[in-house]
Each structure stands twice: as structure tokens, then as C-alpha cells.
Amino acid sequence: SNLNINYSGNTVQPSIQQLQPLLSNNDPLNITLGNPDLKPSFRNSIYGWYSSYKVISGFSFFVNGGFNNTIDPIVNNTVTSAGKNTTQYVNLPGKDPYNYYFYGDIGQKIKAIDTYVGIRANANGNVSYSYINNELDRGSSQTYGANLVIQKYVEKKYDFYVNAGPSYTLSTMSLQSDINNNAAG
């Protein structure tokens, strides 16, 4: 058995292009303006896993997961007017974009047929923010899935592996809710 938990935190400095980009005439329909008032963001990350394997019985169990978020993120504000896009980066206090994932696997080797059979489950998602024409847009996506796993291995002969199952994704945008995309997989 093993258990591992990790945390890291770090500042995310604004790039030179976000602070004060040089204007270019190459694409007059897409302009980026610098923002010298940008402040650094702070990113938190935590992840971990646990595994257990019983050699004699062939039982295995594994889970892992993680979570990341950003405090005072730097987001883009894109304003479209007369076919021209003007983008400027801004800090977004009070809204912390995040993402997460989870994965689990439990299985058993069936001795009578010398084959591993298991079940897997997974979930992941994220929330992001941006401004569109000075209005805050919140994007969200989550995916959930489960799989049946069958595996048989014979040394120096073959390795047979099947992993199949359904998933479902939920996806939304707050400013364009009519084009939300939810789908089975």
C-alpha cells in the first residue's frame, strides 16, 4: 500500500505582453492593450493518491485526485465593436477559477480464468472566467465516467486489454447559455 499527498503554491506573474505589449499593424482587427496595473495571481495545487495491491489474492485498489485554483486570476476582457476585437488583461478578485480530477480503480484477478476484471470511475471539471464586452462570463465543464476493465496477460505470448464504458459531459457558458453542450460519450 502507498499513500502520497502533495501541495504546492506559487505566484503567477503577468507576462510582458499582458503588462505592456507592443502594438502591431499585422492584424488591425485584433488589438491587445497592455495593463501596467496587473498584479500577480496565486495558484494552489493539491493532489494525492492511494494504492493497495494484494499479491496472493490479486486484489487491487487505486484512487487519485487533485484540485487547483487561482486567487486573483488574470483574465482577458475582449470587446468587439464594428468587427474589431480589443483585448486587455485584468485581475479578477473574488472569483477563483479551479479544476479538479478524480480517478478510482478496483479490481480482482479471477484465478479460474487467470484474468483481471475491474471497475474504473473518473470525474473531472473546471470553472473559468473571462469578460466579453465588459460582462463577466463563467465557463463550466464536468465529465463523469465509469468503465469495465478486462485484462489477460501471458508472458511472451499476448496481452489482451479491454476498457469500455459510458461518460457524460456537462458544459455551460453563462453569457451564451443557448449554446451549452451536454453530451454522452
Side-chain angles (χ1 to χ4, degrees):
S1 295
N2 291 298
L3 174 65
N4 187 343
I5 298 174
N6 295 287
Y7 168 80
S8 67
N10 62 290
T11 59
V12 180
Q13 300 295 326
S15 70
I16 290 179
Q17 291 80 16
Q18 292 171 331
L19 291 168
Q20 193 61 44
L22 298 174
L23 291 178
S24 171
N25 292 344
N26 292 342
D27 190 356
L29 296 179
N30 293 293
I31 305 296
T32 301
L33 303 175
N35 182 354
D37 296 326
L38 282 176
K39 296 180 177 115
S41 301
F42 192 83
R43 181 175 169 86
N44 295 290
S45 298
I46 187 166
Y47 67 92
W49 54 269
Y50 173 78
S51 67
S52 178
Y53 179 66
K54 310 291 185 204
V55 176
I56 294 173
S57 68
F59 175 80
S60 69
F61 177 73
F62 177 78
V63 292
N64 76 349
F67 178 83
N68 303 305
N69 76 326
T70 304
I71 299 168
D72 292 332
I74 298 170
V75 300
N76 62 316
N77 181 12
T78 301
V79 176
T80 302
S81 178
K84 179 172 137 182
N85 296 316
T86 303
T87 300
Q88 186 173 42
Y89 293 91
V90 296
N91 287 100
L92 182 62
K95 302 282 186 189
D96 300 341
Y98 64 86
N99 63 61
Y100 66 88
Y101 67 93
F102 169 81
Y103 171 86
D105 184 316
I106 188 167
Q108 176 74 47
K109 187 171 190 175
I110 310 299
K111 290 183 181 186
I113 57 174
D114 193 32
T115 301
Y116 173 85
V117 177
I119 297 173
R120 292 187 177 156
N122 65 291
N124 63 69
N126 65 68
V127 168
S128 62
Y129 296 93
S130 65
Y131 285 98
I132 300 173
N133 293 322
N134 296 314
E135 289 187 57
L136 185 61
D137 187 33
R138 179 185 188 270
S140 174
S141 177
Q142 295 89 33
T143 300
Y144 306 97
N147 297 329
L148 175 65
V149 178
I150 301 171
Q151 182 176 15
K152 182 168 178 130
Y153 171 73
V154 177
E155 188 175 351
K156 296 184 181 180
K157 291 187 178 180
Y158 63 88
D159 187 358
F160 175 78
Y161 179 82
V162 175
N163 176 15
S167 67
Y168 197 79
T169 299
L170 303 160
S171 181
T172 61
M173 300 292 287
S174 63
L175 291 183
Q176 299 172 330
S177 59
D178 58 326
I179 60 171
N180 292 339
N181 188 16
N182 300 336

